Amino acid sequence: MKTNFASSIGMVALALLILPAQARAAGGATDTKLSIFVDCHCSDPVGGDFCSALKDNVSDSSAYRLVDHTDAYGIGVHLWCVDMFTGLPGINSKLTGTMSAVSVAFTIYAERLPGEVYEDSSVFRVGKEATDEMSQRILTALGQLATANKSVFERMQAPPPKPAATPTSQVIQ
């Protein structure tokens, strides 16, 4: 399974490197921070707090910049959260708003791809007192994904190669 996963990443990286580079943003200066798109679908209070904490941690990071849409290239973090005790009768109803079940999917995106490429996913629980700690763990996971795909991201940062000059023919009259 690990070999297939590594092969998939390698194939995506190869495709990104082979495809011609599209126009880059004007201005010449490049932002060395990796773009992170955090997409939250968290309607419960704990999930909402967790998502906000993650966005704050990404924004405060020296390695990443939080973006509100998938831009040139980066990593997507897609969160779905649900209160673990909503709608349960009895004693569990007193626990509503204390813990969220969170599903996270990580993707790689680039303007040259037709969509986002799946990288990894996980499901876990977050208690209302642990939103900051769990958001730090997601930030650590982002670092691992960024490291695993470092060469791909570096190639996307580099200016596209200049086309080779083609000889012109001269007509002698």
Side-chain angles (χ1 to χ4, degrees):
M1 174 111 174
K2 292 277 186 192
T3 304
N4 289 341
F5 180 69
S7 296
S8 297
I9 292 173
M11 292 304 285
V12 169
L14 184 60
L16 288 171
L17 296 175
I18 291 174
L19 294 172
Q22 295 199 359
R24 302 196 185 267
T30 59
D31 187 358
T32 60
K33 291 184 175 187
L34 180 62
S35 294
I36 305 295
F37 171 62
V38 180
D39 177 34
C40 296
H41 302 273
C42 300
S43 58
D44 65 299
V46 176
D49 289 348
F50 170 69
C51 184
S52 293
L54 178 59
K55 286 182 175 183
D56 289 345
N57 284 338
V58 170
S59 292
D60 294 344
S61 168
S62 61
Y64 310 119
R65 69 181 170 97
L66 182 65
V67 295
D68 58 3
H69 63 282
T70 53
D71 61 358
Y73 65 91
I75 298 176
V77 182
H78 305 275
L79 300 168
W80 287 265
C81 311
V82 109
D83 190 301
M84 291 186 63
F85 301 107
T86 296
L88 296 177
I91 194 166
N92 290 337
S93 65
K94 295 177 183 173
L95 297 173
T96 299
T98 61
M99 187 171 289
S100 184
V102 179
S103 171
V104 60
F106 297 97
T107 59
I108 298 288
Y109 62 85
E111 59 192 8
R112 293 174 279 181
L113 293 173
E116 294 179 65
V117 177
Y118 171 83
E119 273 293 312
D120 198 5
S121 63
S122 183
V123 177
F124 51 91
R125 296 173 295 184
V126 176
K128 68 180 181 179
E129 302 298 324
T131 56
D132 287 332
E133 176 189 346
M134 291 304 289
S135 67
Q136 280 295 333
R137 289 185 182 189
I138 295 297
L139 201 64
T140 299
L142 279 171
Q144 293 169 347
L145 289 171
T147 299
N149 292 285
K150 184 178 179 179
S151 63
V152 173
F153 293 134
E154 286 173 348
R155 291 278 230 185
M156 285 191 264
Q157 270 184 331
K162 294 182 180 181
T166 55
T168 58
S169 59
Q170 294 181 344
V171 177
I172 301 176
Q173 294 183 355

